[in-house]
Amino acid sequence: MGIRGRFAPTPSGRMHLGNLLAALLAWLDARSGGGELVLRIEDLDTQRTSRLFAAQLLDDLRWLGLDWDQGGLEPDYRQSRRTACYEEAFRLLEERGLIYPCYCSRTERMAASAPHREDGAVVYSGRCFRLTAAERAELEGQGRRPAWRVRCPDLSVTVEDGNCGTYTENLARDCGDFIVRRSDGVFAYQLAVVVDDALMGVNHVVRGRDLLCSAPRQAWLHEVLGYPPPRFFHTPLLLAPDGRRLAKRDHDLDMGALRERYSPGELTGLLAWYAGLVDRPEKVTAAELVPLFSWAKVPKNDVVVGCP
Ligand code: GLU
């Protein structure tokens, strides 16, 4: 089967340089292998995302010379319209006895958690897993609405990342029971991304390295739900000179500012240089990069971008 990749941005603001690097590499990975690319809009959180940002995102990608074969603004490729698919997967996990309600507030969650992981997340202690039926009923009686967690087994899951190499986590110890549905009913990223990648036939997941720590639990969920797990490729993060990760709130490096300062060719050249595909940041088109692309050239570590 050919490569079927995807780019899955969250339309919560204008893309920044780091998002563009991930998009370009996802595009190059698919195109250099003669594969297809899906553009999925991750707008699960309707409070933080908007259709306007999604439309802007499509325009920014096209401006850069990137295209896709399916997806975009079509409802089938917008997570906010795919609740029925997530419901079904949730039910399957429930049937397997893997789901339980968690009544902890954020403060309680922090207190009931093991020390922070390297990525800043906390490993949930499983406190609500041990609630008795009577305790659950009491909390329900107080009007507490639970979030829903999936129970993680004491299992080491290894992901052979196509860029970063071998990455292993013990699900119970390093990850902990994670939320698959929020207390307001919205499905969580971890469940939605697995269901979508599987149902959309995605077999190459290319995205920023900040999500490498999600790969083992996602690979495991794929297996539990009966889907073949995709191959993962995590791309270097771009860091500001002070070591901070670029974020959407850094407007100086978002697409609005970048489009004023660079032509598409210049910006693509800069990204290609960060990605190790060219020796100098010179004007180039995405299409011209296709024969130059290889994961062997892409840095494994984060890249400090100075002041582009
Ligand atoms: N929607 C996520 C983001 O914009 C990416 C999720 C993924 O690629 O798995 O950061």
Side-chain angles (χ1 to χ4, degrees), residues 43-248:
D43 58 352
L44 277 175
D45 189 340
T46 50
Q47 304 287 313
R48 281 181 52 234
T49 59
S50 77
R51 201 177 187 284
L52 204 76
F53 279 134
Q56 182 78 71
L57 218 140
L58 266 59
D59 186 62
D60 286 341
L61 290 172
R62 286 196 190 101
W63 179 86
L64 202 64
L66 305 183
D67 61 353
W68 50 93
D69 303 290
Q70 281 107 41
L73 293 178
E74 294 162 40
D76 283 356
Y77 292 86
R78 288 169 59 192
Q79 289 189 325
S80 59
R81 309 295 187 89
R82 297 176 53 77
T83 307
C85 304
Y86 312 140
E87 294 266 9
E88 204 176 311
F90 185 83
R91 262 203 310 276
L92 229 131
L93 295 173
E94 230 172 5
E95 274 167 31
R96 308 240 165 111
L98 287 169
I99 299 272
Y100 67 92
C102 174
Y103 299 86
C104 293
S105 66
R106 190 177 148 73
T107 328
E108 286 163 334
R109 247 186 353 250
M110 301 302 244
S113 297
H116 288 239
R117 302 159 37 117
E118 238 175 78
D119 61 9
V122 289
V123 178
Y124 183 63
S125 67
R127 184 165 87 162
C128 283
F129 179 73
R130 291 184 285 273
L131 290 176
T132 62
E135 286 167 331
R136 278 182 191 168
E138 195 188 324
L139 287 160
E140 294 278 344
Q142 292 167 9
R144 299 272 282 260
R145 285 168 64 200
W148 299 86
R149 287 185 187 270
V150 65
R151 183 72 176 159
C152 281
D154 180 9
L155 175 75
S156 284
V157 176
T158 295
V159 167
E160 294 299 340
D161 188 89
N163 191 42
C164 300
T166 305
Y167 180 75
T168 303
E169 274 196 7
N170 176 287
L171 293 182
R173 196 185 57 230
D174 305 325
C175 168
D177 301 348
F178 53 94
I179 293 179
V180 286
R181 190 171 200 174
R182 297 186 340 195
S183 59
D184 61 3
V186 175
F187 285 98
Y189 158 73
Q190 299 292 353
L191 180 69
V193 78
V194 167
V195 171
D196 285 346
D197 283 338
L199 297 187
M200 294 177 188
V202 168
N203 54 19
H204 274 208
V205 168
V206 178
R207 60 187 181 191
R209 216 166 63 108
D210 51 326
L211 289 166
L212 178 59
C213 59
S214 287
R217 80 190 91 160
Q218 291 174 5
W220 173 69
L221 266 186
H222 272 280
E223 215 169 294
V224 171
L225 291 168
Y227 309 135
R231 281 207 72 190
F232 292 98
F233 302 78
H234 287 88
T235 65
L237 300 180
L238 299 184
L239 305 181
D242 62 2
R244 255 179 329 114
R245 250 176 61 196
L246 300 187
K248 285 189 179 133

